[in-house]
Amino acid sequence: MSLLRIKKAADKIRSDSKVLVVIGIGRSYLGARAVIEFLKSEFHNEKASKDGSTEVYFLGTSASGRYIDDVIDLIGDRDFSVNVISKSGTTTEPAIAFRIFKDLIEKKYGKEEASKRIYVTTDAHKGALLNVAKENGYERFVVPDGIGGRYSVLSAVGLLPIAAAGIDISALLEGAKDAQDEFAKDEDILNKPSILYAIYRNILYRKGFDVETIVGYEPQFRYLFEWWKQLMAESEGKDNKGIYPTSAIFSTDLHSIGQFIQDGKKILFETILDIDKPISKRVVPAADDNTDNLDYLLDRPLKEVNEAALTATAQAHTSAGVPNILLKLDNLDEFNLGSLIYFFEAAVAVSGYLNAINPFNQPGVEVYKTNYVQDSWQTWI
């Protein structure tokens, strides 16, 4: 992987495009979207449109015509580029989206200029998308061999759209490398956080806690948790084994599923992700009167309010027999997120081996992919 070439392509996209359309499904978008929203916020595109930086939209995740129409409407007359990500190029949903946007971009710029605005991330040696890229002279990046898609966010699959969003991918990789170096040290395995996490969750699994809910108190964690769910589900869910992964954003989801967690069947445990350094300096403001009875929180940072909610909720749930694991990051930045990504990838690999399964394949996924072949939809009508 040429990091310099990825950065150069990202710089070009940011200089000539107000919008980057990323076309892919599963691994081909979840990791990149997770990183962008975790570091930039779920309102990244709205904020980017105001300051003139590049917005990033993800397509090919479904066959929804309405969603495609909405993205086309959002682009309007503005300049845009496309990054299509697919190992084969024949997966139905992204293939349809690429056909639509290839036609759109060629009509807008002509074939020659369009070829300079389409970036392909695909297999190095074979596949329909590789052939299309060669025929049209698109700049190509490689989906690495031997790396399952859920582990590919720190390859060109994720790094090009992440860099195009203005994120420091060198710092992201440095964080992952630091975590990898710590994991590789010849020392007591109980000093390795990722192994401890794998052990704790498997102790709970053997005690009958079959569901793990990852929880955060910031809405921008949502897509990181979506990536985490794919990582855990595809790595562990085999041979009638595995911990079922779910996610929640508190306090929001406490008002929908909190009752079940507190008083329902004891099948789940919670893993809480928290950030030590405040993400925002926002405080509770003064008011003309105290009709809302909030003056006891006057000038208190919202970070403290969230921490109080975290502590109170964890105490309530653990007292009701719901185990909690707390994961803390020092700061919300590229380095720490890179470390966290490696932490989860290493932990789920260890967890798989603890259950005598291969954490790097996905045979169940291949079954439904085989069934979802060209024209098979006709049999469902």
Side-chain angles (χ1 to χ4, degrees), residues 48-111:
S49 67
K50 288 185 176 181
D51 65 24
S53 55
T54 301
E55 300 165 38
V56 182
Y57 294 100
F58 295 89
L59 282 172
T61 60
S62 74
S64 169
R66 173 61 185 269
Y67 189 87
I68 290 173
D69 290 344
D70 286 344
V71 172
I72 292 172
D73 287 344
L74 283 168
I75 295 171
D77 293 331
R78 295 181 297 168
D79 289 319
F80 71 98
S81 294
V82 172
N83 176 207
V84 56
I85 309 166
S86 175
K87 185 82 169 170
S88 66
T90 57
T91 304
T92 306
E93 295 89 347
I96 291 171
F98 182 49
R99 175 178 284 202
I100 292 168
F101 273 83
K102 181 175 180 290
D103 179 64
L104 194 68
I105 201 168
E106 287 180 350
K107 285 179 177 175
K108 182 177 178 68
Y109 297 105
K111 283 196 173 185

Side-chain angles (χ1 to χ4, degrees), residues 66-375:
R66 173 61 185 269
Y67 189 87
I68 290 173
D69 290 344
D70 286 344
V71 172
I72 292 172
D73 287 344
L74 283 168
I75 295 171
D77 293 331
R78 295 181 297 168
D79 289 319
F80 71 98
S81 294
V82 172
N83 176 207
V84 56
I85 309 166
S86 175
K87 185 82 169 170
S88 66
T90 57
T91 304
T92 306
E93 295 89 347
I96 291 171
F98 182 49
R99 175 178 284 202
I100 292 168
F101 273 83
K102 181 175 180 290
D103 179 64
L104 194 68
I105 201 168
E106 287 180 350
K107 285 179 177 175
K108 182 177 178 68
Y109 297 105
K111 283 196 173 185
E112 184 177 348
E113 176 61 23
S115 69
K116 300 173 185 176
R117 291 176 171 271
I118 296 176
Y119 302 83
V120 168
T121 309
T122 190
D123 192 274
H125 308 292
K126 64 183 186 301
L129 186 55
L130 176 64
N131 294 335
V132 170
K134 286 180 175 179
E135 290 170 8
N136 291 276
Y138 303 149
E139 183 165 4
R140 304 195 307 274
F141 298 92
V142 173
V143 175
D145 290 330
I147 297 178
R150 58 194 177 276
Y151 296 96
S152 68
V153 60
L154 298 179
S155 72
V157 170
L159 291 178
L160 179 57
I162 291 168
I167 290 169
D168 184 350
I169 58 175
S170 291
L172 192 70
L173 292 172
E174 285 168 11
K177 181 63 166 59
D178 184 74
Q180 182 185 49
D181 290 344
E182 287 296 315
F183 185 84
K185 283 182 179 177
D186 186 15
E187 59 181 25
D188 185 347
I189 63 169
L190 296 183
N191 289 329
K192 301 178 189 293
S194 55
I195 293 180
L196 278 177
Y197 173 54
I199 291 171
Y200 289 152
R201 58 199 301 275
N202 273 277
I203 289 172
L204 294 171
Y205 176 47
R206 283 153 179 76
K207 288 179 177 289
F209 295 97
D210 291 336
V211 178
E212 179 177 10
T213 300
I214 192 165
V215 172
Y217 283 75
E218 293 289 344
Q220 69 196 76
F221 293 3
R222 189 177 308 278
Y223 266 90
L224 179 72
F225 293 169
E226 292 299 315
W227 168 82
W228 175 88
K229 286 192 288 190
Q230 184 193 15
L231 177 70
M232 296 295 176
E234 285 193 359
S235 298
E236 292 189 297
K238 295 156 198 173
D239 302 334
N240 294 311
K241 302 175 184 176
I243 302 168
Y244 184 78
T246 68
S247 63
I249 300 296
F250 288 170
S251 296
T252 307
D253 292 334
L254 275 175
H255 294 268
S256 60
I257 60 172
Q259 173 62 39
F260 182 92
I261 295 172
Q262 187 73 26
D263 289 338
K265 188 175 182 180
K266 296 301 178 282
I267 58 173
L268 64 84
F269 64 96
E270 292 173 310
T271 294
I272 305 165
L273 178 63
D274 192 30
I275 312 289
D276 271 338
K277 187 175 179 180
I279 298 172
S280 167
K281 296 180 180 179
R282 179 72 59 186
V283 300
V284 178
D288 293 336
D289 54 42
N290 188 34
T291 54
D292 54 12
N293 296 315
L294 284 180
D295 272 2
Y296 72 98
L297 293 175
L298 185 63
D299 295 329
R300 291 283 187 139
L302 293 191
K303 167 68 171 172
E304 290 186 13
V305 177
N306 255 345
E307 289 295 325
L310 187 159
T311 302
T313 303
Q315 289 174 346
H317 289 176
T318 54
S319 68
V322 179
N324 274 230
I325 298 171
L326 178 61
L327 304 177
K328 273 189 173 286
L329 285 187
D330 293 333
N331 198 4
L332 186 80
D333 59 20
E334 290 92 340
F335 183 89
N336 279 278
L337 179 55
S339 297
L340 183 66
I341 288 169
Y342 185 86
F343 168 87
F344 282 134
E345 291 179 348
V348 78
V350 171
S351 189
Y353 289 130
L354 287 173
N355 288 298
I357 61 173
N358 180 355
F360 301 112
N361 67 359
Q362 52 279 335
V365 173
E366 302 309 321
V367 173
Y368 72 70
K369 281 187 177 180
T370 300
N371 290 340
Y372 190 29
V373 295
Q374 184 178 1
D375 295 335

